[in-house]
Amino acid sequence: MEQQQQQGGGGCLAAVVRPVVVAVVVPLRLLWEVLVLVARGIGWVCDKVLLWPLRMLWRYVLRPLLRWLVVIPLCGLWRWVVRPTLEWLWRYVLAPIGRGVRAVAAGLGTVVARLAWYVVAVPARTVWRWVLVPLGKAFHYGLWRPVLFPVLRALWAAFVWAWRLGGRIWRFTVMRPCRWVRREVWWPVKAEIRRVAREVRRTLLG
């Protein structure tokens, strides 16, 4: 009995929904199909009517014209005009100029080196051999060994003797009296001060 009531309720619901589906969904689906067909037709028309002529124009007109009017002339210009001109300029103009500049630089370097040798090195070596070396030998054998070296050695010995004498004087006049005062005066006074302080602290604090 309950099963029959449920089937009856489902049948009523289906009877109510089916007209709505037929009235709404089916027209929308048909409209969608129509729009898809229209869009495909428009795309086909654009492709065949507009794009296909443009592709044919590019493939068979513009690209060949571009090749024959631009690419091939530029390649020919580079091959037969620019590159031979550059090679000729390099071989007969730039390379000779470079070799000439290098030769001039090498010649200038040689001249500068020769001038430096004869103006600086040769006079310096002459002055060293005939002036400085004899002066050095004369100073060494005439002044340093017989005069300056003995004087400096005597001054150094006197300085060492004075340093040692000063150390002894300092030790006997300063260090030993200070040690005697510390041992015989300061330490007994300090011990007496500590003893008095302990006595006072013991008296006051018990």
Side-chain angles (χ1 to χ4, degrees):
M1 191 70 180
E2 293 178 357
Q3 186 176 3
Q4 292 179 357
Q5 290 179 357
Q6 291 177 358
Q7 291 178 356
C12 293
L13 182 61
V16 173
V17 172
R18 187 177 293 111
V20 175
V21 172
V22 174
V24 177
V25 176
V26 173
L28 290 176
R29 182 58 183 271
L30 292 175
L31 180 62
W32 172 256
E33 296 293 337
V34 171
L35 291 175
V36 171
L37 292 176
V38 171
R40 289 179 180 176
I42 292 173
W44 184 85
V45 171
C46 291
D47 182 67
K48 298 301 182 182
V49 177
L50 297 178
L51 298 179
W52 183 81
L54 292 177
R55 287 197 299 269
M56 295 299 104
L57 180 64
W58 166 255
R59 180 178 300 174
Y60 296 105
V61 178
L62 295 179
R63 190 168 67 181
L65 284 177
L66 185 64
R67 180 182 179 185
W68 287 101
L69 294 179
V70 177
V71 177
I72 293 178
L74 288 178
C75 293
L77 182 65
W78 167 257
R79 178 178 296 177
W80 303 108
V81 178
V82 176
R83 189 172 68 182
T85 303
L86 293 177
E87 292 178 353
W88 182 86
L89 285 174
W90 172 258
R91 180 176 298 177
Y92 297 104
V93 178
L94 297 178
I97 291 176
R99 288 193 293 268
V101 170
R102 186 172 61 185
V104 171
L108 288 177
T110 303
V111 171
V112 171
R114 293 290 179 86
L115 287 176
W117 172 256
Y118 288 107
V119 174
V120 178
V122 173
R125 190 168 65 174
T126 303
V127 170
W128 172 261
R129 177 179 295 179
W130 300 107
V131 178
L132 296 179
V133 172
L135 286 177
K137 291 181 178 180
F139 174 78
H140 179 74
Y141 292 105
L143 187 62
W144 172 257
R145 291 184 65 179
V147 179
L148 293 179
F149 182 73
V151 170
L152 292 176
R153 184 170 58 183
L155 289 175
W156 175 254
F159 172 77
V160 172
W161 179 82
W163 179 265
R164 292 176 180 175
L165 180 61
R168 291 179 181 179
I169 294 173
W170 173 264
R171 185 166 60 252
F172 283 103
T173 58
V174 177
M175 293 183 63
R176 285 191 176 183
C178 289
R179 290 176 181 174
W180 182 85
V181 170
R182 184 179 59 181
R183 184 175 62 253
E184 301 296 334
V185 178
W186 170 243
W187 284 354
V189 170
K190 185 170 66 172
E192 186 65 23
I193 291 173
R194 287 180 179 177
R195 188 186 64 77
V196 173
R198 285 196 299 269
E199 292 294 335
V200 171
R201 186 167 59 250
R202 187 181 301 112
T203 304
L204 293 177
L205 300 177

